[in-house]
């Protein structure tokens, strides 16, 4: 339990150096999507602000969000869990289990009423009185409401918590809803993605812990610094889109050359997330870089957007003048014009060269070529 200490105090207690602390603050500043100019502010907060307890709950989901979170590298998830937050309850990560753990959750709710952070992962089923998902013998929806009632703020981690997720796919047999459909009177932030990028999750948690408030949100309730751009806006394949160079089959030459995946059903033009600039596993890759079109896993209702590999109709972007077919036709037309101009120039230069030859031949009787072949 590190509740009540500042991050700096927690580091000192664990005999970690000041240098280590400052390095962590640098990593945190980046993870929170803040400018490095704000590093002194982050250090000041980390020295003064007491850390708060966190309760992390799981509804209907695959636990991929936790799997992603524990792979956060900057900062390391183990550092976040062991040194930066006081993770008091987590159905999957806590060493304790069963009713002991449930009693601990109740104790945190009582002892730290209004002062703990609730992180919720997974959708919330309502039908059958919520009994299709139970925690400690009671419906998840009841445990969630009970925990949310006294929380300072709520983070919805993953598309399941944020929008309902896969289990809400038509016909949504257990009537799954999002966490914010159930907890309506708290500061709440959506961090969608199936799963979300690990550093986005740690960035949002640490923003709340260090600043005591949620980061700036967009109209859908997502942190602007991570969901302000579409995948398409930062995609390294974008020049191919703009040039009308599309993969037509996942095993064709364009695919091997890394052309745009729009015709393979890429949802990048309508999906807001940071995959294009942050990428995954410390910038190693993301679905598009691995050769797969984006399936829009952070978008509301993406699970009903099947077939996933069918192209989006009529995508128009600010930098292009029409849809992919027309862009392709225009690009092909432009290429044809270019080839024609080049060929025309060659013919003209050959002609000039021939004329000059003739002139030379006429003037001195020699057969000298001037200019050579182009
Ligand atoms: Fe959902 Fe998270 Fe997808 Fe899975 O918990 S967002 S199914 S990666 O794990 O909730
Ligand atoms: Fe990248 Fe997809 Fe946009 Fe093509 S359509 S540029 S692959 S995001
Ligand atoms: Fe998801 Fe698309 Fe990123 S599928 S992981 S939002 S590239």
């Amino acid at each position: 339990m590190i509740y009540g200490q500042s991050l700096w105090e927690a580091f000192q207690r664990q005999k970690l150096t000041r240098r280590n602390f400052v390095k962590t603050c640098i990593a945190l500043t980046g993870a929170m999507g803040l400018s490095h100019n704000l590093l002194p502010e982050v250090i000041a907060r980390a020295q003064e602000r007491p850390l708060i307890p966190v309760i992390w709950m799981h509804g209907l989901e695959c636990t991929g969000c936790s799997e992603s979170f524990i792979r956060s590298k900057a900062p390391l998830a183990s550092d976040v869990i062991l040194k930066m937050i006081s993770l008091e309850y987590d159905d999957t990560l806590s060493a304790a289990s069963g009713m002991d753990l449930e009693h601990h959750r109740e104790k945190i709710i009582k002892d730290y009423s209004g002062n703990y952070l609730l992180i919720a992962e997974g959708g919330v089923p309502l039908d059958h009185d919520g009994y299709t998902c139970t925690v400690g013998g009671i419906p998840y929806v009841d445990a969630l409401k009970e925990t949310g009632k006294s929380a300072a703020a709520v983070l919805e981690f993953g598309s399941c918590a944020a929008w309902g997720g896969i289990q809400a796919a038509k016909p949504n047999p257990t009537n799954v809803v999002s966490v914010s459909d159930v907890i309506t009177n708290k500061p709440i932030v959506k961090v969608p993605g199936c799963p979300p990028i690990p550093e986005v999750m740690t960035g949002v948690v640490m923003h709340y812990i260090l600043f005591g408030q949620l980061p700036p949100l967009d109209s859908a309730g997502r942190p602007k610094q991570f969901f302000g751009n579409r995948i398409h806006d930062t995609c390294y394949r974008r020049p191919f889109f703009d040039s009308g160079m599309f993969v037509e089959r996942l095993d064709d030459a364009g695919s091997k050359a890394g052309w745009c995946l729009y015709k393979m059903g890429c949802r990048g033009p309508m999906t807001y997330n940071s995959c294009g600039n942050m990428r995954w596993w410390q910038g190693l890759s993301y679905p598009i870089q691995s050769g797969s079109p984006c399936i829009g896993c952070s978008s509301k209702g993406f699970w009903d957007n099947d077939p996933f590999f069918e192209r989006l109709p009529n995508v128009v972007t600010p930098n292009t003048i029409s849809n992919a077919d027309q862009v392709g036709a225009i690009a092909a037309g432009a290429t044809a014009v270019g080839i024609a101009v080049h060929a025309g120039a060659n013919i003209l230069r050959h002609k000039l060269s021939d004329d000059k030859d003739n002139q030379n031949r006429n003037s001195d009787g020699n057969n000298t070529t001037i200019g050579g072949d182009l």
Side-chain angles (χ1 to χ4, degrees), residues 160-194:
C160 299
W163 318 118
I166 310 290
Q167 43 286 318
K170 289 177 189 140
N172 194 355
T174 55
N175 189 17
V176 172
V177 296
S178 72
V179 170
S180 44
D181 285 325
V182 171
I183 301 173
T184 52
N185 57 350
K186 293 286 169 186
I188 191 158
V189 55
K190 289 185 188 300
V191 186
C194 189

Coordinates of all heavy atoms in Angstrom, one line a residue, residues 160-194:
C160 N -14.7 -2.7 -25.1 CA -15.8 -3.4 -24.4 C -16.4 -2.5 -23.3 O -17.6 -2.3 -23.2 CB -15.4 -4.7 -23.8 SG -14.8 -5.9 -25.0
A161 N -15.5 -1.9 -22.5 CA -16.0 -1.0 -21.5 C -16.5 0.3 -22.1 O -17.5 0.8 -21.6 CB -14.8 -0.7 -20.5
A162 N -15.9 0.8 -23.1 CA -16.3 2.1 -23.7 C -17.5 2.0 -24.5 O -18.3 2.9 -24.5 CB -15.1 2.6 -24.5
W163 N -17.7 0.9 -25.3 CA -18.8 0.8 -26.2 C -19.7 -0.4 -26.1 O -20.7 -0.6 -26.8 CB -18.4 0.9 -27.7 CG -17.3 1.9 -28.0 CD1 -16.1 1.5 -28.6 CD2 -17.3 3.3 -28.0 NE1 -15.3 2.6 -28.8 CE2 -16.1 3.8 -28.5 CE3 -18.2 4.3 -27.6 CZ2 -15.7 5.1 -28.7 CZ3 -17.9 5.6 -27.8 CH2 -16.7 6.0 -28.3
G164 N -19.3 -1.4 -25.3 CA -20.0 -2.6 -25.2 C -19.2 -3.8 -25.7 O -19.2 -4.9 -25.1
G165 N -18.5 -3.6 -26.8 CA -17.6 -4.6 -27.3 C -18.2 -5.8 -28.0 O -19.4 -5.8 -28.4
I166 N -17.4 -6.8 -28.2 CA -17.7 -7.9 -29.1 C -19.0 -8.6 -28.5 O -19.9 -9.0 -29.3 CB -16.6 -9.0 -29.0 CG1 -15.3 -8.4 -29.3 CG2 -16.9 -10.2 -29.9 CD1 -15.0 -8.0 -30.7
Q167 N -19.2 -8.7 -27.2 CA -20.4 -9.3 -26.7 C -21.6 -8.5 -26.9 O -22.7 -9.0 -26.7 CB -20.2 -9.7 -25.2 CG -19.5 -8.6 -24.3 CD -18.0 -8.5 -24.5 OE1 -17.4 -9.5 -24.7 NE2 -17.5 -7.2 -24.6
A168 N -21.5 -7.2 -27.3 CA -22.6 -6.4 -27.7 C -23.0 -6.6 -29.1 O -23.9 -5.9 -29.6 CB -22.4 -5.0 -27.3
A169 N -22.2 -7.4 -29.9 CA -22.5 -7.6 -31.3 C -23.9 -8.1 -31.5 O -24.5 -8.8 -30.7 CB -21.5 -8.6 -31.9
K170 N -24.5 -7.7 -32.6 CA -25.9 -8.1 -32.9 C -26.0 -9.6 -32.8 O -25.1 -10.3 -33.4 CB -26.3 -7.6 -34.3 CG -26.5 -6.1 -34.4 CD -26.8 -5.7 -35.9 CE -26.8 -4.2 -36.0 NZ -26.2 -3.7 -37.2
P171 N -27.0 -10.2 -32.2 CA -28.2 -9.5 -31.6 C -28.0 -9.2 -30.1 O -29.0 -9.0 -29.4 CB -29.2 -10.6 -31.8 CG -28.5 -11.9 -31.6 CD -27.1 -11.7 -32.2
N172 N -26.8 -9.1 -29.7 CA -26.5 -8.7 -28.3 C -27.3 -9.5 -27.3 O -28.2 -8.9 -26.6 CB -26.7 -7.2 -28.1 CG -26.1 -6.6 -26.8 OD1 -25.6 -7.4 -26.0 ND2 -26.2 -5.3 -26.6
P173 N -27.1 -10.8 -27.2 CA -28.0 -11.7 -26.5 C -28.1 -11.4 -25.0 O -29.1 -11.8 -24.4 CB -27.4 -13.1 -26.7 CG -26.0 -12.8 -27.2 CD -26.0 -11.5 -27.9
T174 N -27.1 -10.8 -24.4 CA -27.2 -10.5 -22.9 C -27.4 -9.1 -22.6 O -27.3 -8.6 -21.5 CB -26.0 -11.1 -22.2 OG1 -24.8 -10.5 -22.8 CG2 -25.9 -12.6 -22.3
N175 N -27.7 -8.3 -23.7 CA -28.0 -6.8 -23.6 C -26.8 -6.2 -22.9 O -26.9 -5.6 -21.8 CB -29.3 -6.6 -22.8 CG -29.7 -5.1 -22.8 OD1 -29.2 -4.4 -23.7 ND2 -30.6 -4.7 -21.9
V176 N -25.6 -6.3 -23.5 CA -24.4 -5.6 -22.9 C -24.4 -4.2 -23.3 O -24.7 -3.7 -24.4 CB -23.2 -6.3 -23.5 CG1 -21.9 -5.6 -23.1 CG2 -23.1 -7.8 -23.1
V177 N -24.0 -3.4 -22.3 CA -23.9 -1.9 -22.4 C -22.5 -1.5 -22.0 O -21.7 -2.3 -21.4 CB -25.0 -1.1 -21.7 CG1 -26.4 -1.5 -22.2 CG2 -24.9 -1.4 -20.2
S178 N -22.2 -0.2 -22.2 CA -20.9 0.3 -21.8 C -20.9 0.6 -20.3 O -22.0 0.7 -19.7 CB -20.5 1.6 -22.6 OG -21.4 2.6 -22.1
V179 N -19.8 0.9 -19.7 CA -19.7 1.3 -18.3 C -20.4 2.6 -18.0 O -21.1 2.8 -17.1 CB -18.2 1.3 -17.8 CG1 -18.1 1.9 -16.5 CG2 -17.6 -0.1 -17.9
S180 N -20.2 3.5 -19.0 CA -20.8 4.8 -18.8 C -22.4 4.8 -19.0 O -23.0 5.8 -18.7 CB -20.2 5.9 -19.6 OG -20.0 5.4 -20.9
D181 N -22.9 3.7 -19.5 CA -24.4 3.6 -19.5 C -24.9 3.2 -18.1 O -26.0 3.4 -17.8 CB -24.8 2.4 -20.5 CG -24.7 2.8 -21.9 OD1 -24.9 4.0 -22.2 OD2 -24.3 2.0 -22.7
V182 N -24.0 2.7 -17.3 CA -24.4 2.3 -15.9 C -23.9 3.3 -14.8 O -24.7 3.6 -13.9 CB -23.7 0.9 -15.6 CG1 -23.9 0.5 -14.2 CG2 -24.3 -0.1 -16.6
I183 N -22.7 3.9 -15.0 CA -22.3 4.9 -14.1 C -22.3 6.2 -14.8 O -21.6 6.5 -15.7 CB -20.8 4.6 -13.6 CG1 -20.7 3.2 -13.0 CG2 -20.3 5.7 -12.7 CD1 -19.3 2.8 -12.6
T184 N -23.3 7.1 -14.4 CA -23.5 8.3 -15.2 C -23.2 9.6 -14.5 O -23.3 10.6 -15.1 CB -25.0 8.3 -15.6 OG1 -25.8 8.2 -14.4 CG2 -25.4 7.2 -16.5
N185 N -22.8 9.5 -13.2 CA -22.6 10.8 -12.5 C -21.2 11.0 -12.0 O -21.0 11.6 -11.0 CB -23.6 10.8 -11.3 CG -23.4 9.6 -10.4 OD1 -22.7 8.7 -10.7 ND2 -24.0 9.7 -9.2
K186 N -20.2 10.5 -12.7 CA -18.8 10.6 -12.3 C -18.0 11.1 -13.5 O -18.4 10.9 -14.7 CB -18.3 9.2 -12.0 CG -18.9 8.6 -10.7 CD -18.3 9.3 -9.5 CE -19.2 8.9 -8.3 NZ -18.8 9.7 -7.1
P187 N -16.9 11.8 -13.2 CA -15.9 12.1 -14.3 C -15.5 10.7 -14.9 O -15.1 9.8 -14.2 CB -14.7 12.8 -13.6 CG -15.3 13.2 -12.2 CD -16.4 12.2 -11.9
I188 N -15.6 10.6 -16.2 CA -15.4 9.3 -16.8 C -14.7 9.5 -18.2 O -15.0 10.5 -18.9 CB -16.7 8.5 -16.9 CG1 -16.5 7.1 -17.3 CG2 -17.7 9.2 -17.9 CD1 -17.7 6.2 -17.0
V189 N -13.8 8.7 -18.5 CA -13.1 8.8 -19.8 C -13.1 7.4 -20.5 O -12.9 6.4 -19.9 CB -11.6 9.3 -19.5 CG1 -10.8 8.4 -18.5 CG2 -10.8 9.4 -20.8
K190 N -13.3 7.5 -21.8 CA -13.2 6.3 -22.6 C -11.8 6.1 -23.2 O -11.3 7.1 -23.8 CB -14.2 6.4 -23.8 CG -15.7 6.3 -23.3 CD -16.6 6.3 -24.5 CE -18.1 6.4 -24.2 NZ -18.6 5.4 -23.3
V191 N -11.3 5.0 -23.1 CA -10.0 4.7 -23.7 C -10.2 3.4 -24.6 O -9.8 2.3 -24.2 CB -8.9 4.4 -22.6 CG1 -7.5 4.2 -23.2 CG2 -8.9 5.5 -21.6
P192 N -10.8 3.6 -25.7 CA -11.2 2.4 -26.5 C -10.0 1.8 -27.3 O -8.9 2.4 -27.4 CB -12.2 3.0 -27.5 CG -11.9 4.4 -27.7 CD -11.3 4.9 -26.4
G193 N -10.3 0.7 -27.9 CA -9.2 -0.1 -28.6 C -9.5 -1.5 -28.1 O -9.9 -1.8 -27.0
C194 N -9.2 -2.5 -29.0 CA -9.5 -3.9 -28.6 C -8.2 -4.7 -28.9 O -8.1 -5.4 -29.8 CB -10.7 -4.4 -29.4 SG -11.3 -6.0 -28.9

